[in-house]
């Protein structure tokens, strides 16, 4: 089951309106709708997401990721390059690319079928500023993608101390990491204090938001890279996860 285009546009307008996201969504409804129809069509086949009910997809995937896009826009002035690590079925990367057409978005995932899915969806939706690559973050960060991005984002990939080591190495000095977290944000931030310092980053701000009619807490944790990450990072994945910084 999926909303018709008319139902989707009406509901998106209502939810974006009550969330202060109308301006960002305006004129991008078609792209956002295609992201949802594709997910509905392919999620079972590819085991892409546990969220399939249309209202839930709209809130927990689209609106949630447009909140991230709002912060990305403020940090990047709507331009530059963004890498989304562990993007899965394209979250937050596809909605960010849809609503910020001047940001060049790269989505990375370790699973090849997910990157194929994301590139097909972007092509169908007419999202031209998007490219998905099949790679493991800790390996790719050691190649030409290292220290190459203005913004790095991630949602639901790993605990913050592990995630920082996977993400900060991709940032240029002066770039920002935006981590989408839930109720455990404060606890994860404390646990990640040492990792932040070792990787050359500093904590900048915690943006609290909530999804319409859902009471779970959501946060965007913003970190800035202030120094080049030492060459020893990222380590291989077993070290990163067994001995987090
Ligand atoms: N960000 C998406 C998907 C979360 S699931 C969302 O919020 O819906 C986590 C994803 O991260 C999976 O698709 C998995 O393949 C990917 N992943 C986990 N570790 C990774 C790594 N080290 N490098 C690249 N991708 C990774």
């Amino acid at each position: 089951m999926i909303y018709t285009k008319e139902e989707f546009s009406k509901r998106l307008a209502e939810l974006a309106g009550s969330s202060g996201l109308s301006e960002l969504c305006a004129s991008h409804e078609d792209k956002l709708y295609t992201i949802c129809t594709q997910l509905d069509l392919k999620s079972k086949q590819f085991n892409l997401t546990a969220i399939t009910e249309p209202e839930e997809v709209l809130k927990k995937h689209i609106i949630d990721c447009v909140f991230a896009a709002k912060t990305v826009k403020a940090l990047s002035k709507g331009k530059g390059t963004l890498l989304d690590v562990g993007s899965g079925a394209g979250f937050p990367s596809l909605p960010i690319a849809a609503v910020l057409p001047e940001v060049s978005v790269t989505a990375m995932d370790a699973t090849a079928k997910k990157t194929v899915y994301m590139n097909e969806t972007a092509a169908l939706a007419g999202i031209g500023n998007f490219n998905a690559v099949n790679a493991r973050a800790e390996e790719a960060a050691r190649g030409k993608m290292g220290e190459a991005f203005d913004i790095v984002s991630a949602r639901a990939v790993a605990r913050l101390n592990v995630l920082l080591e996977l993400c900060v190495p991709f940032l240029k000095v002066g770039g920002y990491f935006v981590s989408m977290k839930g109720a455990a944000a404060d606890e994860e931030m404390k646990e990640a204090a040492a990792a932040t310092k070792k990787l050359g980053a500093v904590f900048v701000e915690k943006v609290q938001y909530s999804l319409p009619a859902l009471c779970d807490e959501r946060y965007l944790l913003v970190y800035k890279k202030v120094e080049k990450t030492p060459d020893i990072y990222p380590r291989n994945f077993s070290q990163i996860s067994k001995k987090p910084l």
Side-chain angles (χ1 to χ4, degrees):
M1 223 285 287
I2 181 90
Y3 285 140
T4 62
K5 178 71 211 309
E6 288 68 32
E7 287 167 339
F8 179 85
S9 296
K10 183 168 173 281
R11 203 59 196 123
L12 177 68
E14 286 166 0
L15 294 171
S18 63
S19 304
L21 302 172
S22 302
E23 210 184 308
L24 262 180
C25 292
S27 77
H28 302 301
E29 296 94 346
D30 288 2
K31 295 179 204 164
L32 297 173
Y33 183 59
T34 303
I35 295 170
C36 295
T37 54
Q38 268 292 99
L39 193 66
D40 183 63
L41 207 63
K42 301 281 174 69
S43 66
K44 282 205 192 76
Q45 185 183 343
F46 289 140
N47 191 22
L48 290 171
T49 172
I51 301 169
T52 52
E53 197 267 321
E55 180 74 4
E56 249 201 315
V57 169
L58 189 42
K59 287 180 185 167
K60 294 189 176 168
H61 283 329
I62 304 297
I63 295 291
D64 191 33
C65 295
V66 178
F67 267 113
K70 189 178 175 183
T71 287
V72 168
K73 186 178 180 188
L75 295 170
S76 67
K77 303 187 176 58
K79 298 189 188 111
T81 53
L82 177 143
L83 174 71
D84 185 34
V85 170
S87 201
F91 301 106
S93 60
L94 281 170
I96 289 177
V99 304
L100 298 177
E102 285 176 43
V103 176
S104 170
V105 174
T106 303
M108 178 177 290
D109 204 280
T111 306
K113 66 177 185 183
K114 293 185 178 174
T115 48
V116 170
Y117 167 84
M118 287 190 275
N119 280 324
E120 276 177 10
T121 302
L124 268 171
I127 301 172
N129 54 320
F130 182 92
N131 183 38
V133 295
N134 175 218
R136 290 202 60 88
E138 65 279 14
E139 291 165 11
R142 296 197 154 274
K144 62 180 190 318
M145 294 174 87
E147 310 249 339
F149 292 87
D150 299 308
I151 309 265
V152 174
S153 62
R155 186 183 82 165
V157 177
R159 275 185 85 83
L160 193 57
N161 53 359
V162 169
L163 194 59
L164 283 161
E165 187 168 351
L166 293 176
C167 293
V168 173
F170 287 108
L171 285 173
K172 295 175 189 169
V173 172
Y176 294 95
F177 172 49
V178 179
S179 173
M180 302 172 72
K181 288 286 179 188
D186 280 338
E187 184 194 324
E188 289 194 40
M189 276 177 60
K190 274 187 208 133
E191 190 183 72
T196 306
K197 201 158 187 285
K198 286 180 187 165
L199 294 162
V202 291
F203 170 70
V204 175
E205 66 172 325
K206 180 170 88 170
V207 181
Q208 183 176 7
Y209 66 102
S210 55
L211 300 178
L214 297 173
C215 48
D216 49 343
E217 298 166 55
R218 307 239 164 191
Y219 302 95
L220 296 162
L221 305 179
V222 181
Y223 288 84
K224 183 174 186 172
K225 179 152 164 178
V226 291
E227 278 170 36
K228 191 183 174 311
T229 300
D231 289 338
I232 45 169
Y233 306 122
R235 297 164 296 160
N236 66 47
F237 193 72
S238 72
Q239 284 174 293
I240 296 175
S241 54
K242 280 188 204 136
K243 287 190 178 174
L245 294 174

